[in-house]
Amino acid sequence: MQIVSISSLKGGVGKSSVVLGLASAALEARVPALVVDLDPHGDASTALGVHARAGQDVGSVLRRPRKGALAAVAAPSPWTRHPITPEVSGTQQDPGWQPAGSPAVGRPVLDVAPGSAASSHLDHAAFRTKDLKRLETVLHGLERYELVLIDCPPTLSALTRMAWAASHMVLSVAEPSLFSVAGTKRTMSALAQFETSRIWAVPDAGVVVNRFRDGSDEQHHRLRELQELFGQLVVDPVLPDAPVVQQAQGAAWPVHRWPGTAASDLAGRFSSILQGMLH
């Protein structure tokens, strides 16, 4: 099981969008995946069509962590029941898709441990050493998943640190802009400091460049700056600033099943990033 934290210490860079794109890629590749929404706002959960119920969310489980307890709140995303595109009628469906209520034979696995304000009690800078093992404990033994994607809050809080502590890889999301480059430097520096303070280290890290506009000289400059700062840690390909991202998210639809060439290009980029993560 590969556990990957999607992080940024600067808000508004599209962190949750990257989580959703990678979840879509995993669904398309039929990689059994779990999205853990640690952000108290729960945006990734909403876009994946899963809403937290009282006591059935990540924050509630983390209050009293027990091995494997996250399985009790993980719910299947309706994305696994979507037809190929929004235009497909009920008779023209993906062979792997079944109507709601039918047996889930052959259906790919994409589950969500939903986020909510219940996580806020851990969204602060102060923490005890044993707090860092909370997420690792509740993920223990969930062997039905090959991939776990953790949507971290955009702060260096106890939630973010416990996500890093549980992860095999941390991906920092950056926009090619002045403030986002500075935020990425803070994220990667904090990750390096975090590793030196623990007996277990995050084995791998990367920088995902999001919302890139190819026609902008300024963004090309900032992309080169990121590449100079982080070298091979900058993930290839970059993700474009495309309206289709908001369109698919607004419809709570996986980008791999959204029509059009822009969606197809974006989906291919996410699939390439996913392949690099898993190999």
Side-chain angles (χ1 to χ4, degrees):
M1 182 169 68
Q2 176 83 328
I3 303 174
V4 182
S5 284
I6 315 299
S7 290
S8 173
L9 298 188
K10 182 185 182 303
V13 296
K15 173 179 53 63
S16 294
S17 296
V18 172
V19 172
L20 296 171
L22 292 173
S24 178
L27 177 64
E28 193 70 10
R30 292 184 172 265
V31 174
L34 170 67
V35 174
V36 179
D37 193 351
L38 278 190
D39 194 327
H41 292 103
D43 292 340
S45 304
T46 300
L48 285 158
V50 175
H51 303 280
R53 294 173 294 156
Q56 297 292 306
D57 54 60
V58 176
S60 298
V61 170
L62 291 175
R63 282 185 181 275
R64 295 179 179 84
R66 298 186 304 276
K67 287 186 177 181
L70 212 56
V73 302
S77 169
W79 281 16
T80 62
R81 300 193 301 270
H82 280 338
I84 296 172
T85 71
E87 289 84 1
V88 173
S89 70
T91 58
Q92 295 176 299
Q93 295 163 345
D94 179 357
W97 179 87
Q98 293 87 21
S102 66
V105 177
R107 183 181 296 169
V109 173
L110 177 58
D111 292 349
V112 183
S116 75
S119 298
S120 296
H121 72 286
L122 290 165
D123 193 23
H124 49 70
F127 63 93
R128 298 165 297 178
T129 302
K130 67 178 184 180
D131 287 335
L132 297 183
K133 291 189 66 70
R134 287 176 183 266
L135 184 58
E136 184 178 357
T137 298
V138 300
L139 282 170
H140 182 81
L142 301 189
E143 299 302 332
R144 78 177 301 216
Y145 306 110
E146 292 180 22
L147 175 66
V148 175
L149 297 169
I150 305 172
D151 190 9
C152 300
T155 55
L156 189 57
S157 63
L159 284 172
T160 296
R161 293 173 188 271
M162 72 176 64
W164 292 356
S167 294
H168 304 109
M169 175 184 291
V170 173
L171 292 179
S172 177
V173 179
E175 283 185 320
S177 65
L178 173 63
F179 298 131
S180 183
V181 170
T184 304
K185 290 170 68 175
R186 291 196 301 272
T187 303
M188 301 303 280
S189 295
L191 180 60
Q193 292 172 3
F194 178 71
E195 290 190 12
T196 62
S197 66
R198 306 172 57 241
I199 60 172
W200 61 92
V202 179
D204 203 358
V207 177
V208 175
V209 180
N210 192 33
R211 296 177 178 167
F212 178 68
R213 295 193 299 274
D214 190 50
S216 168
D217 291 340
E218 168 66 12
Q219 293 218 341
H220 275 281
H221 170 70
R222 296 303 174 188
L223 176 58
R224 288 192 297 271
E225 187 177 9
L226 285 166
Q227 291 168 336
E228 290 169 2
L229 284 168
F230 303 112
Q232 294 183 346
L233 294 182
V234 177
V235 173
D236 183 37
V238 301
L239 300 171
D241 186 12
V244 69
V245 175
Q246 297 301 321
Q247 293 166 0
Q249 287 176 15
W253 209 273
V255 69
H256 285 71
R257 298 194 172 190
W258 194 263
T261 55
S264 179
D265 173 70
L266 184 61
R269 291 169 186 258
F270 276 116
S271 291
S272 179
I273 293 172
L274 177 70
Q275 186 177 17
M277 285 165 42
L278 296 177
H279 294 89

